[in-house]
mmCIF file of all heavy atoms in Angstrom:
data_model
loop_
_atom_site.group_PDB
_atom_site.id
_atom_site.type_symbol
_atom_site.label_atom_id
_atom_site.label_comp_id
_atom_site.label_asym_id
_atom_site.label_seq_id
_atom_site.Cartn_x
_atom_site.Cartn_y
_atom_site.Cartn_z
ATOM 1 N N CYS A 22 -4.890 4.519 2.626
ATOM 2 C CA CYS A 22 -4.652 3.078 2.790
ATOM 3 C C CYS A 22 -5.887 2.404 3.384
ATOM 4 O O CYS A 22 -6.518 2.957 4.289
ATOM 5 C CB CYS A 22 -3.476 2.828 3.729
ATOM 6 S SG CYS A 22 -1.992 3.736 3.274
ATOM 7 N N VAL A 23 -6.162 1.210 2.885
ATOM 8 C CA VAL A 23 -7.218 0.371 3.460
ATOM 9 C C VAL A 23 -6.530 -0.728 4.252
ATOM 10 O O VAL A 23 -5.612 -1.382 3.740
ATOM 11 C CB VAL A 23 -8.101 -0.248 2.349
ATOM 12 C CG1 VAL A 23 -9.194 -1.120 2.955
ATOM 13 C CG2 VAL A 23 -8.690 0.837 1.480
ATOM 14 N N GLY A 24 -6.948 -0.908 5.501
ATOM 15 C CA GLY A 24 -6.365 -1.958 6.339
ATOM 16 C C GLY A 24 -7.332 -3.108 6.517
ATOM 17 O O GLY A 24 -8.548 -2.938 6.364
ATOM 18 N N ARG A 25 -6.780 -4.274 6.828
ATOM 19 C CA ARG A 25 -7.585 -5.475 7.143
ATOM 20 C C ARG A 25 -8.547 -5.819 6.008
ATOM 21 O O ARG A 25 -9.710 -6.157 6.244
ATOM 22 C CB ARG A 25 -8.365 -5.277 8.442
ATOM 23 C CG ARG A 25 -7.448 -4.953 9.601
ATOM 24 C CD ARG A 25 -8.213 -4.702 10.878
ATOM 25 N NE ARG A 25 -7.311 -4.201 11.908
ATOM 26 C CZ ARG A 25 -7.708 -3.595 13.014
ATOM 27 N NH1 ARG A 25 -8.996 -3.434 13.260
ATOM 28 N NH2 ARG A 25 -6.837 -3.180 13.899
ATOM 29 N N HIS A 30 -5.072 -12.057 6.547
ATOM 30 C CA HIS A 30 -4.145 -11.155 7.251
ATOM 31 C C HIS A 30 -4.773 -10.646 8.552
ATOM 32 O O HIS A 30 -4.094 -10.581 9.593
ATOM 33 C CB HIS A 30 -3.744 -9.981 6.363
ATOM 34 C CG HIS A 30 -2.990 -8.915 7.098
ATOM 35 N ND1 HIS A 30 -1.779 -9.151 7.715
ATOM 36 C CD2 HIS A 30 -3.279 -7.615 7.349
ATOM 37 C CE1 HIS A 30 -1.359 -8.044 8.304
ATOM 38 N NE2 HIS A 30 -2.251 -7.094 8.100
ATOM 39 N N PHE A 45 -6.638 4.681 6.700
ATOM 40 C CA PHE A 45 -5.634 5.577 7.297
ATOM 41 C C PHE A 45 -4.833 6.211 6.172
ATOM 42 O O PHE A 45 -4.987 5.834 4.998
ATOM 43 C CB PHE A 45 -4.745 4.827 8.304
ATOM 44 C CG PHE A 45 -4.013 3.646 7.739
ATOM 45 C CD1 PHE A 45 -2.723 3.760 7.266
ATOM 46 C CD2 PHE A 45 -4.622 2.393 7.679
ATOM 47 C CE1 PHE A 45 -2.050 2.669 6.742
ATOM 48 C CE2 PHE A 45 -3.965 1.296 7.158
ATOM 49 C CZ PHE A 45 -2.676 1.435 6.695
ATOM 50 N N LYS A 47 -1.070 8.039 4.580
ATOM 51 C CA LYS A 47 0.382 8.263 4.622
ATOM 52 C C LYS A 47 0.632 9.588 3.900
ATOM 53 O O LYS A 47 -0.077 9.902 2.928
ATOM 54 C CB LYS A 47 1.145 7.169 3.865
ATOM 55 C CG LYS A 47 1.152 5.789 4.535
ATOM 56 C CD LYS A 47 1.922 4.806 3.657
ATOM 57 C CE LYS A 47 1.824 3.381 4.144
ATOM 58 N NZ LYS A 47 2.840 3.011 5.126
ATOM 59 N N GLU A 71 4.350 -5.170 4.057
ATOM 60 C CA GLU A 71 2.976 -5.519 3.648
ATOM 61 C C GLU A 71 2.898 -5.223 2.158
ATOM 62 O O GLU A 71 2.924 -4.055 1.761
ATOM 63 C CB GLU A 71 1.938 -4.661 4.390
ATOM 64 C CG GLU A 71 1.874 -4.892 5.889
ATOM 65 C CD GLU A 71 0.691 -4.159 6.555
ATOM 66 O OE1 GLU A 71 -0.065 -3.459 5.844
ATOM 67 O OE2 GLU A 71 0.543 -4.298 7.779
ATOM 68 N N VAL A 72 2.811 -6.245 1.330
ATOM 69 C CA VAL A 72 2.724 -6.010 -0.119
ATOM 70 C C VAL A 72 1.257 -5.722 -0.485
ATOM 71 O O VAL A 72 0.352 -6.384 0.021
ATOM 72 C CB VAL A 72 3.305 -7.200 -0.916
ATOM 73 C CG1 VAL A 72 2.443 -8.457 -0.824
ATOM 74 C CG2 VAL A 72 3.501 -6.820 -2.384
ATOM 75 N N GLU A 73 1.040 -4.721 -1.333
ATOM 76 C CA GLU A 73 -0.327 -4.297 -1.637
ATOM 77 C C GLU A 73 -0.454 -3.819 -3.089
ATOM 78 O O GLU A 73 0.503 -3.296 -3.658
ATOM 79 C CB GLU A 73 -0.754 -3.147 -0.696
ATOM 80 C CG GLU A 73 -0.465 -3.467 0.770
ATOM 81 C CD GLU A 73 -1.252 -2.693 1.799
ATOM 82 O OE1 GLU A 73 -2.091 -1.870 1.409
ATOM 83 O OE2 GLU A 73 -0.998 -2.948 3.004
ATOM 84 N N LEU A 101 4.397 -1.185 -1.065
ATOM 85 C CA LEU A 101 4.582 -1.786 0.252
ATOM 86 C C LEU A 101 4.058 -0.797 1.283
ATOM 87 O O LEU A 101 4.340 0.403 1.182
ATOM 88 C CB LEU A 101 6.058 -2.095 0.531
ATOM 89 C CG LEU A 101 6.786 -2.980 -0.483
ATOM 90 C CD1 LEU A 101 8.202 -3.284 -0.005
ATOM 91 C CD2 LEU A 101 6.034 -4.267 -0.747
ATOM 92 N N ASP A 102 3.298 -1.326 2.230
ATOM 93 C CA ASP A 102 2.838 -0.517 3.365
ATOM 94 C C ASP A 102 3.739 -0.921 4.531
ATOM 95 O O ASP A 102 3.398 -1.821 5.305
ATOM 96 C CB ASP A 102 1.356 -0.833 3.626
ATOM 97 C CG ASP A 102 0.843 -0.257 4.931
ATOM 98 O OD1 ASP A 102 1.513 0.623 5.507
ATOM 99 O OD2 ASP A 102 -0.242 -0.707 5.378
ATOM 100 N N MET A 103 4.915 -0.278 4.618
ATOM 101 C CA MET A 103 5.861 -0.647 5.678
ATOM 102 C C MET A 103 5.270 -0.190 7.019
ATOM 103 O O MET A 103 4.790 0.938 7.150
ATOM 104 C CB MET A 103 7.233 0.006 5.436
ATOM 105 C CG MET A 103 7.920 -0.439 4.144
ATOM 106 S SD MET A 103 8.135 -2.223 3.955
ATOM 107 C CE MET A 103 9.215 -2.621 5.317
ATOM 108 N N THR A 104 5.318 -1.087 7.994
ATOM 109 C CA THR A 104 4.587 -0.873 9.251
ATOM 110 C C THR A 104 5.467 -1.213 10.450
ATOM 111 O O THR A 104 5.958 -2.345 10.555
ATOM 112 C CB THR A 104 3.331 -1.773 9.283
ATOM 113 O OG1 THR A 104 2.522 -1.485 8.135
ATOM 114 C CG2 THR A 104 2.516 -1.563 10.546
ATOM 115 N N ARG A 106 5.381 -2.546 13.512
ATOM 116 C CA ARG A 106 4.304 -3.317 14.156
ATOM 117 C C ARG A 106 4.276 -3.098 15.668
ATOM 118 O O ARG A 106 3.212 -3.039 16.280
ATOM 119 C CB ARG A 106 4.464 -4.806 13.835
ATOM 120 C CG ARG A 106 3.234 -5.623 14.148
ATOM 121 C CD ARG A 106 2.077 -5.336 13.198
ATOM 122 N NE ARG A 106 2.340 -5.814 11.863
ATOM 123 C CZ ARG A 106 1.681 -5.377 10.782
ATOM 124 N NH1 ARG A 106 0.728 -4.465 10.865
ATOM 125 N NH2 ARG A 106 1.980 -5.849 9.590
ATOM 126 N N TRP A 119 -2.305 5.570 14.306
ATOM 127 C CA TRP A 119 -1.175 4.726 13.865
ATOM 128 C C TRP A 119 -0.082 5.522 13.154
ATOM 129 O O TRP A 119 0.797 4.929 12.515
ATOM 130 C CB TRP A 119 -1.674 3.680 12.883
ATOM 131 C CG TRP A 119 -2.683 2.726 13.417
ATOM 132 C CD1 TRP A 119 -3.108 2.610 14.709
ATOM 133 C CD2 TRP A 119 -3.398 1.737 12.659
ATOM 134 N NE1 TRP A 119 -4.043 1.608 14.794
ATOM 135 C CE2 TRP A 119 -4.241 1.061 13.558
ATOM 136 C CE3 TRP A 119 -3.416 1.366 11.318
ATOM 137 C CZ2 TRP A 119 -5.094 0.033 13.163
ATOM 138 C CZ3 TRP A 119 -4.251 0.340 10.918
ATOM 139 C CH2 TRP A 119 -5.085 -0.321 11.831
ATOM 140 N N LYS A 123 2.989 3.962 10.600
ATOM 141 C CA LYS A 123 2.641 3.745 9.189
ATOM 142 C C LYS A 123 3.118 4.841 8.248
ATOM 143 O O LYS A 123 3.107 4.631 7.039
ATOM 144 C CB LYS A 123 1.106 3.692 9.068
ATOM 145 C CG LYS A 123 0.433 2.476 9.690
ATOM 146 C CD LYS A 123 0.541 1.276 8.788
ATOM 147 C CE LYS A 123 -0.467 0.183 9.106
ATOM 148 N NZ LYS A 123 -0.301 -0.972 8.202
ATOM 149 N N LEU A 189 -3.903 2.396 -1.362
ATOM 150 C CA LEU A 189 -3.341 1.070 -1.067
ATOM 151 C C LEU A 189 -4.487 0.184 -0.588
ATOM 152 O O LEU A 189 -5.248 0.594 0.309
ATOM 153 C CB LEU A 189 -2.262 1.175 0.028
ATOM 154 C CG LEU A 189 -0.815 1.335 -0.450
ATOM 155 C CD1 LEU A 189 -0.642 2.578 -1.286
ATOM 156 C CD2 LEU A 189 0.142 1.359 0.735
ATOM 157 N N THR A 190 -4.604 -1.004 -1.161
ATOM 158 C CA THR A 190 -5.831 -1.791 -0.990
ATOM 159 C C THR A 190 -5.729 -2.920 0.042
ATOM 160 O O THR A 190 -6.609 -3.778 0.093
ATOM 161 C CB THR A 190 -6.266 -2.368 -2.356
ATOM 162 O OG1 THR A 190 -5.163 -3.110 -2.896
ATOM 163 C CG2 THR A 190 -6.667 -1.280 -3.317
ATOM 164 N N GLY A 191 -4.664 -2.907 0.855
ATOM 165 C CA GLY A 191 -4.555 -3.904 1.917
ATOM 166 C C GLY A 191 -3.635 -5.050 1.534
ATOM 167 O O GLY A 191 -3.326 -5.257 0.353
ATOM 168 N N THR A 192 -3.225 -5.784 2.551
ATOM 169 C CA THR A 192 -2.222 -6.833 2.335
ATOM 170 C C THR A 192 -2.760 -8.218 2.657
ATOM 171 O O THR A 192 -3.543 -8.380 3.604
ATOM 172 C CB THR A 192 -0.963 -6.547 3.191
ATOM 173 O OG1 THR A 192 0.133 -7.313 2.686
ATOM 174 C CG2 THR A 192 -1.152 -6.877 4.676
ATOM 175 N N VAL A 196 2.855 -11.273 6.494
ATOM 176 C CA VAL A 196 3.704 -10.144 6.891
ATOM 177 C C VAL A 196 4.752 -10.633 7.888
ATOM 178 O O VAL A 196 4.490 -11.547 8.680
ATOM 179 C CB VAL A 196 2.862 -8.994 7.503
ATOM 180 C CG1 VAL A 196 1.839 -8.498 6.496
ATOM 181 C CG2 VAL A 196 2.163 -9.414 8.789
HETATM 182 MG MG1 LIG B 309 -1.448 -2.344 4.872
#
Side-chain angles (χ1 to χ4, degrees):
C22 308
V23 180
R25 303 178 188 163
H30 170 61
F45 58 94
K47 289 179 188 272
E71 295 188 359
V72 70
E73 311 201 1
L101 304 185
D102 169 15
M103 297 305 297
T104 303
R106 195 70 69 199
W119 298 353
K123 291 281 199 181
L189 267 60
T190 55
T192 197
V196 300

